């Protein structure tokens, strides 16, 4: 899971008159994680403290001179290095006021770029492909420099990759439409040349990036078609491969990004970790034309994790240091913090709680990844048969072949112009006759077309068509991000419930928006909603009063002073045990609202990402939700749910986790609210009972561990008596 946090401005930009250039050559890290070096396209180099958003120092060259490449920081000498007019190297420190008196060295050939890495000597790359270590070059600036590249070969990109204690320099070149990659290794010095695999007639890639992982160098490059390709190079070259031979470098498609109506013009990509990638200048899958976004993609699962619209022109420039993205857009250089969690199926869709069979009667929220890859028709059929709603998409292939054929393009055109009834009829016709493979590819496109028209025409809302698309199980939030929010705006809680059940990648912000809306709607407005019968059955069974005071011939035991049951607001008139209070207490919300809240409880989430959004709930909403969670916990503690036959029900761990989240987010407000006093007292009692339970379980665990360590192989003779004491 990945998330973008609130952005802030580091500095303003002075773009070129034609707005094709941002005015920034590059951004490099300083010795401190909170400092960066910003080099503009004209004459100055500025060091910024990122957290304070202010410059710490700035140095400029004389009028008529030009900074040729981004300045870098030499961590070994604590000095800054910059190249002026391609041939002059300047080296200075923080305390130096200007560049006039800084160390100066003039070299014999034109420099393309200087690269630096922590703990390594900076490397100088010349425009004709020669490479020198900075120390060796400064000791003899006028040393001859060889020409590695051919006459018409031009460098397009370069970077330095750190491999433990070694440094490797990579740079790409272009010659007559062909693209090559050079790999310069040090200790020993070896230079290898590779030919990049490209399609005929394809222009140069928009951006390159390289990382070292698992003993290999992973080269990524973005084409104008939106394809992100990956090529893998072995960090240690094969001894048998001749140095002069041009080696083929195969590629594989890592991710296909949406390119919109045409080709990409200004875009850039950066890998954030092994599974997440930041992309700027690529259209959002569901946004209209003319909007520029910063997107975080999960390359393992091909899903969009987070997006942020950026105002102003995108220049295709982006850098990443210390979990912060630096993006140029409009007249602003913005800093956008981000967070990426370890990539797995569970974290890609959020935090999934593992519960035992006794805690949850239903299947897992997300099918296993193996089933998604290889198919599991029988399991999916079993899951869908458990639901009370059966739509027209549940037809066999034999019957669907008899339906009339309707192409995707025809249906898209019908969605744009036809009435609601006609759209729903044609959608049912298409879903009945389409193959599963086709539905998997076009369901997202159809949903986006429907949502787009609903946004454009407020009177147009094909409820049945949207419900049928969700029921295909081929939609998720990443494919159509606006669908769930549209259902909330239209108060279509039936569609909202199915989205909460079937979408495995709902962002935490959307989950909280659903929770806030559900808590705000009066119970009387929800009673006429056509929700899933299975969820209502669970609520009816949970709220109905017990038929007798005995279960299986035994009465409930008397509760002690540590009972987690809430004392009655009025004195009891009978002599029933206090444990019956949980069974007879009324539900603080209606059946329909409770069914929807149960779906929220079972939605995947991440604690760190969910907590800020929970703070937007009002005090009344928090108290109402806590009262319902207390009701669920008390019912669960008395095993009132154990005999309920239903496919989906929240687990006790999910209930307790949400209680903790709400208390963490609103504890100070709840302590000051007089109406929350009795509720907090009740919650404190059952938290105390949980602590006692886990304490006793810890003692049992210690006893069992002691037993396992006991040496039973000792020869005790034919007869012995042993006493084991546990404290």
């Amino acid at each position: 899971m990945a998330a973008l946090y609130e952005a802030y401005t580091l500095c303003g930009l002075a773009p070129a008159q034609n707005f094709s250039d941002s005015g920034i050559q590059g951004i490099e890290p300083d010795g401190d994680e909170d400092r960066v070096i910003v080099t503009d396209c004209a004459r100055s180099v500025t060091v910024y403290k990122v957290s304070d958003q202010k410059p710490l120092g700035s140095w400029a060259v004389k009028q008529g001179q030009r900074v040729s490449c981004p300045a870098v920081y030499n961590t070994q000498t604590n000095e800054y290095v910059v190249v002026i007019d391609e041939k002059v190297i300047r080296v200075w420190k923080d305390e130096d006021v200007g560049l006039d008196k800084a160390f100066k060295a003039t070299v014999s050939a034109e420099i393309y770029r200087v690269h630096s890495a922590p703990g390594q000597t900076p490397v100088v790359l010349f425009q004709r492909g020669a490479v020198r270590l900075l120390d060796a070059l400064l000791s003899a600036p006028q040393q001859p420099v060889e020409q590695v590249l051919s006459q018409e070969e031009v460098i397009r990109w370069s970077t330095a990759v750190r491999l433990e204690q070694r440094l490797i320099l990579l740079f790409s070149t272009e010659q007559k439409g062909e693209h090559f990659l050079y790999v310069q290794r040090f200790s020993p010095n070896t230079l290898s040349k590779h030919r990049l695999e490209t399609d005929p007639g394809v222009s140069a890639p928009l951006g390159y990036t390289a990382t070292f992982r698992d003993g290999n160098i992973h080269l990524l490059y973005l084409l104008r078609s939106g394809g992100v390709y990956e090529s893998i190079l072995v960090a240690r070259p094969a001894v048998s491969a001749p140095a002069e031979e041009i080696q083929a470098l195969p590629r594989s498609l890592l991710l296909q990004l949406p390119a919109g109506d045409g080709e990409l013009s200004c875009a850039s990509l950066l890998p954030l970790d092994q599974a997440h990638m930041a992309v700027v200048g690529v259209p959002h899958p569901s946004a209209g034309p003319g909007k520029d976004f910063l997107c975080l993609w999960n390359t393992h699962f091909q899903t969009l994790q987070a997006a942020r619209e950026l105002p102003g022109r995108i220049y295709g420039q982006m850098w990443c240091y210390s979990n912060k993205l630096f993006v140029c857009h409009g007249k602003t250089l913005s800093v956008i913090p981000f967070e990426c969690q370890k990539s797995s199926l569970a974290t890609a869709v959020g935090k999934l709680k593992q519960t035992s069979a006794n805690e949850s009667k239903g299947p897992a929220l997300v099918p296993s990844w193996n089933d998604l890859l290889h198919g599991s028709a029988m399991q999916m059929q079993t899951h869908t048969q458990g639901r009370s709603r059966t739509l027209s998409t549940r037809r066999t292939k034999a019957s669907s072949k008899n339906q009339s054929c309707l192409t995707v393009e025809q249906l898209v055109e019908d969605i744009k112009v036809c009435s609601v009834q006609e759209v729903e009829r044609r959608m049912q016709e298409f879903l009945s006759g389409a193959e599963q493979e086709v539905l998997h590819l076009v369901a997202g496109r159809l949903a986006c077309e429907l949502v787009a028209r609903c946004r454009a025409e407020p009177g147009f809302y094909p409820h049945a068509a949207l419900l049928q698309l969700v029921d295909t199980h081929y939609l998720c939030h990443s494919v159509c991000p606006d669908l769930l929010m549209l259902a909330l705006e239209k108060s279509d809680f039936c569609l909202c419930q199915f989205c909460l059940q079937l979408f495995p990648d709902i962002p935490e912000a959307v989950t909280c928006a659903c929770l806030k809306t559900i808590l705000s709607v009066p119970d009387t407005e929800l009673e006429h909603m056509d929700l899933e019968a299975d969820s209502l059955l669970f609520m009816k069974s949970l709220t109905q009063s017990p038929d007798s005071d005995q279960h299986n011939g035994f009465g409930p035991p008397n509760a002690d002073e540590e009972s987690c049951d809430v004392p009655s607001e009025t004195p009891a008139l009978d002599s029933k045990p206090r444990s019956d209070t949980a069974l007879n207490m009324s539900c603080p919300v209606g059946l329909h609202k409770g069914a929807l809240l149960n779906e929220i409880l079972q939605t995947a989430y991440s604690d760190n990402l969910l907590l800020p959004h929970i703070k937007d709930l009002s005090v009344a909403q928090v108290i109402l939700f806590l009262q319902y969670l207390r009701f669920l916990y008390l019912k669960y503690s008395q095993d009132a749910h154990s005999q309920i036959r239903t496919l989906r029900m929240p687990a006790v761990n999910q209930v307790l986790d949400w209680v903790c989240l709400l208390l963490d987010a609103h504890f100070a407000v709840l302590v000051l609210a007089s109406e929350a006093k009795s509720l907090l007292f009740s919650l404190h009692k059952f938290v105390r009972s949980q602590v006692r339970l886990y304490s006793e379980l810890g003692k049992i665990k210690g006893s069992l561990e002691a037993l396992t360590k006991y040496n039973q192989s000792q020869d005790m003779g034919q007869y012995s008596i042993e006493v084991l004491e546990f404290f």
Side-chain angles (χ1 to χ4, degrees):
M1 200 71 176
L4 294 170
Y5 295 106
E6 185 177 357
Y8 53 91
T9 300
L10 183 63
C11 64
L13 301 179
Q17 294 182 355
N18 56 1
F19 292 99
S20 60
D21 262 338
S22 66
I24 296 291
Q25 279 200 70
I27 300 176
E28 293 289 331
D30 202 331
D32 189 345
E33 290 185 355
D34 197 28
R35 295 167 40 145
V36 294
I37 310 168
V38 179
T39 306
D40 64 25
C41 294
R43 302 169 48 208
S44 65
V45 177
T46 307
V47 176
Y48 286 91
K49 187 174 178 61
V50 179
S51 59
D52 293 343
Q53 308 170 48
K54 67 178 183 180
L56 301 178
S58 183
W59 299 266
V61 298
K62 293 181 179 180
Q63 186 73 28
Q65 295 179 338
R66 181 178 59 87
V67 176
S68 304
C69 64
V72 299
Y73 184 77
N74 187 348
T75 58
Q76 292 188 330
T77 61
N78 297 328
E79 295 175 326
Y80 299 100
V81 181
V82 72
V83 179
I84 302 172
D85 295 333
E86 283 87 20
K87 285 190 175 184
V88 179
I89 300 177
R90 288 281 190 178
V91 180
W92 77 99
K93 292 188 176 183
D94 272 325
E95 55 268 21
D96 294 335
V97 178
L99 293 179
D100 295 340
K101 297 182 180 181
F103 175 84
K104 174 183 177 182
T106 304
V107 297
S108 59
E110 296 179 338
I111 296 175
Y112 176 79
R113 187 78 183 265
V114 180
H115 291 283
S116 180
Q120 302 290 330
T121 302
V123 179
V124 180
L125 172 63
F126 290 88
Q127 291 187 6
R128 302 314 304 160
V131 179
R132 294 289 188 274
L133 295 177
L134 180 63
D135 292 346
L137 182 62
L138 294 181
S139 62
Q142 289 298 314
Q143 61 181 281
V145 176
E146 68 276 9
Q147 291 195 8
V148 178
L149 307 182
S150 59
Q151 190 65 30
E152 299 180 354
E153 199 170 0
V154 181
I155 298 179
R156 297 299 186 189
W157 165 85
S158 65
T159 190
V161 180
R162 184 179 179 183
L163 283 68
E164 300 174 351
Q165 301 302 322
R166 297 179 295 124
L167 201 65
I168 293 182
L169 182 69
L170 293 86
F171 58 95
S172 67
T173 63
E174 182 178 2
Q175 181 184 13
K176 296 181 179 180
E178 288 189 300
H179 303 279
F180 302 95
L181 179 72
Y182 289 82
V183 182
Q184 174 68 58
R185 298 173 175 89
F186 303 92
S187 300
N189 290 330
T190 59
L191 180 65
S192 58
K193 182 177 181 181
H194 306 266
R195 177 181 285 105
L196 294 178
E197 180 183 339
T198 57
D199 299 328
V202 176
S203 56
L206 288 174
Y208 292 89
T209 183
T211 56
F212 175 72
R213 188 176 71 247
D214 301 330
N216 297 318
I217 300 174
H218 295 255
L219 175 70
L220 306 180
Y221 49 97
L222 172 65
L223 300 184
R224 295 184 181 274
S225 61
V228 178
Y229 289 89
E230 180 182 37
S231 298
I232 300 178
L233 299 96
V234 180
R236 299 180 182 273
V239 180
S240 59
E244 298 80 6
E245 181 181 351
I246 300 179
Q247 306 171 28
L249 188 61
R251 67 178 185 179
S252 60
L253 182 62
L254 183 66
L255 182 66
Q256 180 61 51
L257 298 172
D261 298 333
E263 292 185 342
L264 302 177
S265 57
C266 294
S268 179
L269 79 161
L270 281 177
L272 306 180
D273 60 13
Q274 189 172 352
H276 295 93
M277 176 188 302
V279 182
V280 67
V282 176
H284 191 283
S286 61
K291 296 183 179 181
D292 292 315
F293 280 83
L294 167 66
C295 299
L296 301 187
W297 288 85
N298 188 306
T299 56
H300 284 182
F301 304 103
Q302 309 287 305
T303 56
L304 178 63
Q305 298 287 295
R308 176 74 54 80
E309 185 176 358
L310 301 177
R313 176 182 173 84
I314 294 292
Y315 304 98
Q317 290 180 303
M318 179 172 53
W319 300 267
C320 177
Y321 304 112
S322 303
N323 289 336
K324 299 179 183 67
L325 291 171
F326 298 80
V327 184
C328 297
H329 61 96
K331 295 184 179 181
T332 303
L333 173 58
S334 294
V335 182
I336 307 175
F338 67 91
E339 180 184 5
C340 293
Q341 297 181 356
K342 185 178 179 181
S343 179
S344 64
L345 180 59
T347 55
V349 300
K351 181 179 179 182
L352 299 179
K353 296 295 184 180
Q354 300 296 329
T355 58
S356 64
N358 294 330
E359 290 177 339
S360 179
K361 303 296 182 180
L365 181 63
V366 181
S368 70
W369 192 246
N370 187 58
D371 292 341
L372 291 176
L373 289 175
H374 305 291
S376 181
M378 294 300 297
Q379 293 182 7
M380 186 61 69
Q381 183 180 4
T382 303
H383 172 69
T384 54
Q385 287 177 352
R387 299 171 55 192
S388 62
R389 184 181 305 276
T390 303
L391 300 177
S392 60
T393 56
R394 299 293 184 263
R395 299 184 180 181
T396 61
K397 290 185 178 181
S399 61
S400 64
K401 291 181 180 179
N402 297 327
Q403 303 293 330
S404 59
C405 295
L406 182 66
T407 65
V408 179
E409 300 300 330
Q410 290 174 344
L411 182 56
V412 169
E413 294 300 323
D414 292 340
I415 290 174
K416 295 178 180 179
V417 296
C418 292
S419 63
V420 172
Q421 295 78 10
E422 187 67 16
V423 168
E424 291 178 344
R425 185 186 66 81
R426 292 182 178 272
M427 181 66 69
Q428 180 178 357
E429 176 185 348
F430 175 79
L431 295 179
S432 301
E435 296 290 339
Q436 298 299 317
E437 294 80 5
V438 177
L439 287 178
H440 189 264
L441 297 175
V442 304
R445 179 185 177 187
L446 296 177
C448 291
E449 291 288 346
L450 288 173
V451 171
R453 185 178 176 187
C454 291
R455 295 289 190 191
E457 303 178 21
F460 178 83
Y461 186 70
H463 163 77
L466 293 171
L467 201 62
Q468 288 173 342
L469 281 174
V470 173
D471 201 54
T472 62
H473 291 254
Y474 293 131
L475 283 184
C476 63
H477 186 273
S478 300
V479 173
C480 189
D482 295 331
L483 177 58
L484 186 51
M485 295 304 296
L486 176 65
L488 289 179
E489 294 174 7
K490 298 293 184 179
S491 298
D492 189 354
F493 292 101
C494 178
L495 179 60
C496 180
Q497 182 184 32
F498 278 93
C499 292
L500 291 172
Q501 288 182 0
L502 300 178
F503 287 3
D505 57 344
I506 300 176
E508 285 75 5
V510 179
T511 300
C512 285
C514 295
L515 174 61
K516 191 173 184 178
T517 303
I518 294 170
L519 291 173
S520 303
V521 177
D523 289 326
T524 54
E525 294 185 15
L526 291 175
E527 293 303 322
H528 69 278
M529 295 290 176
D530 184 19
L531 299 183
E532 189 187 37
D534 189 65
S535 61
L536 295 177
L537 174 63
F538 172 72
M539 288 301 302
K540 291 179 181 178
S541 302
L542 201 63
T543 55
Q544 67 184 1
S545 301
D547 296 335
S548 63
D549 294 336
Q550 292 186 347
H551 303 275
N552 298 326
F554 295 93
N558 293 328
D560 58 11
E561 68 276 4
E562 294 294 329
S563 172
C564 63
D565 296 330
V566 181
S568 178
E569 299 294 337
T570 58
L573 300 178
D574 54 11
S575 59
K576 288 184 180 181
R578 290 199 317 170
S579 58
D580 277 352
T581 305
L583 296 175
N584 293 324
M585 69 177 297
S586 61
C587 182
V589 299
L591 298 183
H592 289 66
K593 182 176 291 188
L596 293 173
L597 291 177
N598 291 341
E599 302 297 344
I600 295 290
L601 295 178
Q602 299 174 83
T603 302
Y605 67 90
S606 175
D607 295 353
N608 295 333
L609 304 180
L610 185 66
L611 195 59
H613 300 290
I614 295 181
K615 295 180 180 180
D616 294 335
L617 297 176
S618 65
V619 178
Q621 292 170 342
V622 172
I623 292 177
L624 179 60
F625 197 20
L626 282 174
Q627 288 174 342
Y628 177 67
L629 294 175
R630 178 187 64 175
F631 166 79
L632 281 181
Y633 176 79
L634 294 179
K635 289 290 185 179
Y636 279 30
S637 64
Q638 299 296 331
D639 292 331
H641 69 300
S642 58
Q643 302 299 323
I644 301 176
R645 303 301 179 186
T646 180
L647 288 176
R648 286 179 57 83
M649 58 192 302
V652 64
N653 284 346
Q654 293 170 329
V655 174
L656 293 175
D657 287 342
W658 273 93
V659 170
C660 295
L661 287 169
L662 290 170
L663 293 179
D664 288 343
H666 297 273
F667 185 75
V669 178
L670 291 173
V671 169
L672 298 176
S674 58
E675 60 271 24
K677 182 177 180 180
S678 60
L679 176 62
L680 292 178
F681 176 76
S682 173
L683 294 176
H684 172 69
K685 294 185 68 176
F686 78 69
V687 168
R688 184 171 56 183
S689 69
Q690 288 290 313
V691 172
R692 291 189 60 202
L693 171 63
Y694 281 99
S695 177
E696 297 299 325
L697 291 177
K699 295 178 182 179
I700 297 175
K701 178 182 178 182
S703 301
L704 294 176
E705 289 178 350
L707 283 175
T708 58
K709 295 178 181 179
Y710 181 72
N711 188 4
Q712 299 181 354
S713 62
Q714 297 179 356
D715 187 7
M716 305 302 295
Q718 294 182 353
Y719 177 78
S720 65
I721 297 177
E722 302 176 36
V723 178
L724 302 178
E725 296 183 3
F726 300 101
F727 299 95

